Amino acid sequence: MKKVAVIGAGTMGNGIAHVFAQTGYAVSLIDISQDSLDKGIATITKNLDRMIKKEKISESDKEATLGNITTFTNTAEGAKGVDLVVEAATENTELKFKIFKELSEVTDDNVILASNTSSISITKIAAQTNRPDKVIGMHFMNPVPIMKLVEVIRGYATSDEVTNLIMDLSKNLGKTPTEVNDYPGFVANRILMPMINEAIISLHEGVAGVEEIDTVMKLGMAHPMGPLQLADFIGLDVCLSILNVMYEGFGNPKYAPCPLLVNMVTAGKLGVKSGEGFYDWSHGTKELVVSDSFK
Ligand SMILES: NC(=O)c1ccc[n+]([C@@H]2O[C@H](COP(=O)([O-])OP(=O)(O)OC[C@H]3O[C@@H](n4cnc5c(N)ncnc54)[C@H](O)[C@@H]3O)[C@@H](O)[C@H]2O)c1
């Protein structure tokens, strides 16, 4: 494999393009929005500059990496002649179905189609294409250039050959791939989201306050940050949507999202991106919300 297309230049897409380009692949970075492409390239440039400062790469490595990336606003054009497509567009089922239907038409039958989806079934995405055996999940973690894990998700029809190829490719990118099967939440979110939900239930029931819950998990379990702060970083709307996928997918009440989470999302308290979630982020730092009434 030499040539890769990455669809979506947002948070994940620009990180995925960065990692492929730095490893020497020719990358077509595709987004419907020129503004997202410009911001994506600016983020990659900033992250490469940071790596130069830390003496991890040289100025010429930076130029080579940026030189490996070409941007496109048209999927058919960008996907021409690639060996692999990694889709990292907005998390929306209908949108992903539409993208994979188009990819199925505009790429050769031997091109592997991967999705970075956090929660949508790979089997369902694969069913939109003419090659379900060549559709697979490559679930990178945020921030992509730093985080080691790639959760490699086998859809119902994904072949052994394609799985092995993607496992090897992920290693070649300097990542540690882990193979999992296609069930709601895969493994990462199936374990993470119930923990976050339980932290919110503990807050909702008055067992402890925001800071207390996060301190217990940080200092007691050696987590780098508490579950409520992590939820603020991920986005409370994203947490709610993943919990709903698992709740509906398994039909098991243990995944039912806490009513406090539902209320906060309805009220537009989405975490860092909206300026307030379990913490107040509106001043650019983490502060306790004044109305946090636990004592
Ligand atoms: N953010 C995370 O922490 C994280 C972690 C793991 C996986 N994911 C998954 O990665 C994917 C992308 O998430 P993100 O956080 O980067 O989103 P984002 O909103 O930052 O970026 C999405 C990009 O997709 C573009 N887009 C929308 N429709 C498109 C189309 N038809 N063709 C091309 N581009 C299109 C948008 O313009 C936008 O730039 C989602 O499936 C998400 O579930 C996100």
Side-chain angles (χ1 to χ4, degrees):
M1 279 197 197
K2 292 212 162 63
K3 209 172 164 202
V4 175
V6 177
I7 300 193
T11 311
M12 298 304 287
N14 76 61
I16 295 168
H18 173 155
V19 168
F20 272 105
Q22 200 177 329
T23 312
Y25 292 85
V27 179
S28 303
L29 182 58
I30 305 167
D31 202 295
I32 40 165
S33 147
Q34 184 60 47
D35 187 47
S36 286
L37 286 170
D38 295 343
K39 282 189 184 142
I41 295 292
T43 302
I44 296 171
T45 307
K46 195 182 71 194
N47 289 339
L48 288 167
D49 283 336
R50 193 175 298 144
M51 291 172 88
I52 293 177
K53 231 182 216 163
K54 288 186 179 167
E55 296 182 356
K56 287 190 172 163
I57 61 166
S58 66
E59 188 67 43
S60 68
D61 293 330
K62 171 187 159 185
E63 294 312 321
T65 301
L66 291 172
N68 281 341
I69 304 175
T70 314
T71 59
F72 295 87
T73 49
N74 180 294
T75 303
E77 258 177 52
K80 206 177 280 171
V82 302
D83 307 298
L84 165 73
V85 180
V86 182
E87 172 276 320
T90 314
E91 184 80 344
N92 173 300
T93 307
E94 290 313 314
L95 174 72
K96 301 229 189 244
F97 284 2
K98 194 171 141 252
I99 291 173
F100 277 79
K101 268 187 198 133
E102 183 179 2
L103 289 173
S104 185
E105 286 161 15
V106 302
T107 59
D108 289 343
D109 290 353
N110 59 343
V111 174
I112 297 176
L113 306 176
S115 175
N116 184 52
T117 178
S118 307
S119 62
I120 299 167
S121 158
I122 297 300
T123 307
K124 281 189 192 161
I125 291 175
Q128 312 303 313
T129 74
N130 59 357
R131 67 196 85 148
D133 59 314
K134 295 192 180 67
V135 177
I136 192 161
M138 277 186 97
H139 188 200
F140 289 86
M141 303 290 136
N142 185 20
V144 182
I146 292 170
M147 297 292 279
K148 282 279 175 204
L149 180 69
V150 182
E151 200 177 18
V152 174
I153 302 129
R154 289 185 73 131
Y156 192 82
T158 312
S159 70
D160 288 344
E161 192 194 345
V162 166
T163 306
N164 293 337
L165 228 140
I166 292 299
M167 293 289 287
D168 289 344
L169 170 81
S170 304
K171 284 179 202 155
N172 190 32
L173 295 175
K175 303 297 182 195
T176 304
T178 303
E179 188 183 322
V180 313
N181 286 322
D182 182 27
Y183 288 94
F186 314 132
V187 168
N189 283 320
R190 184 171 179 163
I191 295 172
L192 176 64
M193 288 301 158
M195 182 189 74
I196 287 177
N197 199 37
E198 202 59 39
I200 303 171
I201 295 169
S202 303
L203 177 71
H204 187 51
E205 292 180 353
V207 180
V210 170
E211 207 175 21
E212 289 76 8
I213 291 169
D214 275 356
T215 302
V216 166
M217 296 305 286
K218 240 173 30 186
L219 302 187
M221 316 300 157
H223 289 189
M225 71 178 78
L228 299 173
Q229 181 179 348
L230 181 56
D232 274 1
F233 277 128
I234 295 170
L236 302 198
D237 51 338
V238 175
C239 294
L240 177 60
S241 127
I242 298 174
L243 279 163
N244 275 328
V245 166
M246 293 198 288
Y247 184 38
E248 285 155 23
F250 291 115
N252 185 334
K254 80 173 173 179
Y255 300 108
C258 176
L260 174 60
L261 174 64
V262 177
N263 262 356
M264 289 176 75
V265 172
T266 309
K269 308 284 183 199
L270 306 182
V272 177
K273 65 182 161 192
S274 74
E276 189 183 314
F278 294 105
Y279 294 91
D280 178 359
W281 301 94
S282 61
H283 304 105
T285 51
K286 187 183 85 170
E287 290 168 29
L288 277 180
V289 174
V290 181
S291 63
D292 184 22
S293 59
F294 174 77
K295 271 296 163 257

